[in-house]
Amino acid sequence: MTTGQEFNRDTNYITTRITRDGAEGYPVEPGRYRLVVSRACPWANRSIIVRRLLGLEDAISMGVCGPTHDRRSWTFDLDPGGVDPVLGIERIQDAYFARFPDYPRGITVPAIVDVPTGAVVTNDYPQITLDLSTEWARYHREGAPQLYPEHLRDEIDEVALRVFKDVNNGVYRCGFAGSQESYERAYHRLFGAMDWLEERLSKQRFLVGDTITEADVRLFTTLVRFDPVYHGHFKCNRQKLIEFPALWGYARDLFQTPGFGDTIDFDQIKRHYYVVHEDINPTRIVPAGPDLSNWLTPHHREQLGGRPFGDGTPPGPVREGERVAAGHTPLAQA
């Protein structure tokens, strides 16, 4: 980033898809693939939530990188010996290089890896969650919700696009702005979208329709990071999330819904942003706050109607080995 420039996200991902017909060489096959994530990353957090909501834990295993990384890649420093127990690698970059020895772009999570070859299949995070909903439908748990129902796809896509451009990516446009002018443009664009969402969610419980959809997953992972990180670290400080009545109630509603809050590790989220972004936070001091107990306060969003899972059911308890560490979320004390 040079002075005066706006932040532009590199969206050239590995677009190979895992499909029912295996048209691109990777057929849907339970046990064959490993989803590699970091709980710190909002883009990876989406896939963690969708995998859990749909009950795909037995079909697709999950490897979890630590919250920090260096210029080379994310590492498996949470695992014994710093090695992923399934892939046998220390860094997710090894899976990228197994398929593309001269891979020139960013080494990102989430990524899905073909376990037999150890090679990355895709890191196209928006398509990953859509394919989990559609291509993997045969392996969804009984009672899994319809996160991308056909009759709502156009509206979901429309809402999700604005959420991505102005909110999900908007906070980064503020945080990594290269000039005062580019920062202020991003700032006003972000809060214009937040005001639009506040108005929309003051009248309906969820973003599209009367159940949780892909659009809600995509917004939630930014909202849950807003006050702990984006408000201060990225200078998104017109208002805190807790100062938006509808958005704050909506965020708590989702947080308290199985599959959402139980994937959130606030300690890892804060460590990632405040430690990795040395250009923004050169001291690498991680804030002690904010108090997180308010995430469990009543939200009263049920008064707007709607059924979170439609005709389906909530997912069961988090699997052993996939639980957020005690003390890293207020849910541990709930």
Side-chain angles (χ1 to χ4, degrees):
M1 176 69 70
T2 58
T3 301
Q5 286 186 335
E6 292 191 0
F7 171 74
N8 290 303
R9 181 171 300 280
D10 182 356
T11 56
N12 291 304
Y13 297 103
I14 303 169
T15 58
T16 308
R17 293 177 62 195
I18 300 168
T19 56
R20 285 168 288 184
D21 61 8
E24 298 184 34
Y26 294 96
V28 167
E29 184 180 323
R32 175 171 173 175
Y33 305 101
R34 188 159 176 82
L35 174 65
V36 177
V37 300
S38 168
R39 293 191 184 277
C41 171
W43 318 101
N45 197 173
R46 297 176 177 186
S47 59
I48 301 172
I49 291 170
V50 170
R51 172 179 173 270
R52 173 151 160 66
L53 292 176
L54 299 178
L56 287 169
E57 292 94 335
D58 289 335
I60 307 171
S61 67
M62 185 170 74
V64 182
C65 297
T68 62
H69 59 77
D70 56 26
R71 292 186 179 274
R72 291 169 60 196
S73 90
W74 298 84
T75 58
F76 292 99
D77 49 288
L78 302 177
D79 291 306
V83 175
D84 181 85
V86 172
L87 299 174
I89 57 177
E90 297 179 354
R91 294 173 173 271
I92 186 57
Q93 73 173 16
D94 296 338
Y96 280 73
F97 294 156
R99 184 174 176 196
F100 305 106
D102 299 316
Y103 188 73
R105 314 199 75 87
I107 308 293
T108 62
V109 292
I112 295 183
V113 179
D114 180 41
V115 175
T117 62
V120 68
V121 177
T122 180
N123 65 341
D124 187 1
Y125 66 89
Q127 192 62 49
I128 285 174
T129 50
L130 296 182
D131 284 344
L132 292 181
S133 281
T134 56
E135 300 298 318
W136 288 83
R138 178 181 173 186
Y139 301 99
H140 291 178
R141 65 178 176 85
E142 184 177 354
Q146 295 292 317
L147 298 178
Y148 197 51
E150 289 192 37
H151 69 289
L152 293 176
R153 287 182 187 177
D154 287 346
E155 187 177 0
I156 291 171
D157 291 346
E158 180 183 357
V159 170
L161 180 60
R162 183 168 186 190
V163 167
F164 167 73
K165 290 192 301 183
D166 297 345
V167 181
N168 299 147
N169 200 44
V171 293
Y172 285 85
R173 287 163 55 90
C174 290
F176 292 112
S179 71
Q180 186 70 35
E181 292 75 15
S182 60
Y183 161 71
E184 290 186 9
R185 283 194 298 270
Y187 172 95
H188 291 300
R189 186 171 170 180
L190 165 65
F191 282 101
M194 294 286 276
D195 290 339
W196 169 69
L197 289 165
E198 175 72 9
E199 174 66 17
R200 185 182 185 96
L201 289 167
S202 69
K203 302 171 183 176
Q204 59 194 66
R205 188 171 180 185
F206 305 111
L207 277 176
V208 180
D210 63 355
T211 64
I212 291 166
T213 67
E214 174 79 17
D216 298 297
V217 175
R218 296 188 180 196
L219 177 57
F220 173 77
T221 59
T222 295
L223 294 184
V224 80
R225 289 162 173 77
F226 202 91
D227 286 3
V229 175
Y230 302 143
H231 178 268
H233 185 59
F234 279 176
K235 307 179 185 69
C236 302
N237 61 355
R238 194 193 82 180
Q239 287 164 265
K240 295 179 179 178
L241 176 64
I242 62 173
E243 294 166 349
F244 287 92
L247 273 170
W248 174 227
Y250 165 82
R252 280 178 291 154
D253 188 4
L254 292 179
F255 186 85
Q256 295 170 31
T257 298
F260 284 85
D262 52 33
T263 73
I264 301 301
D265 189 316
F266 284 108
D267 179 78
Q268 291 195 20
I269 288 169
K270 292 195 297 182
R271 282 206 288 147
H272 169 70
Y273 286 94
Y274 287 102
V275 172
V276 171
H277 299 160
E278 292 183 77
D279 51 341
I280 298 177
N281 185 41
T283 65
R284 305 176 83 186
I285 294 172
V286 180
D291 178 20
L292 301 172
S293 60
N294 54 2
W295 279 96
L296 300 182
T297 57
H299 52 76
H300 306 298
R301 294 284 293 179
E302 64 279 356
Q303 296 175 6
L304 291 171
R307 300 175 298 151
F309 295 96
D311 294 329
T313 58
V318 179
R319 297 289 181 92
E320 188 68 35
E322 295 190 2
R323 296 173 186 161
V324 174
H328 290 197
T329 171
L331 286 171
Q333 286 78 46

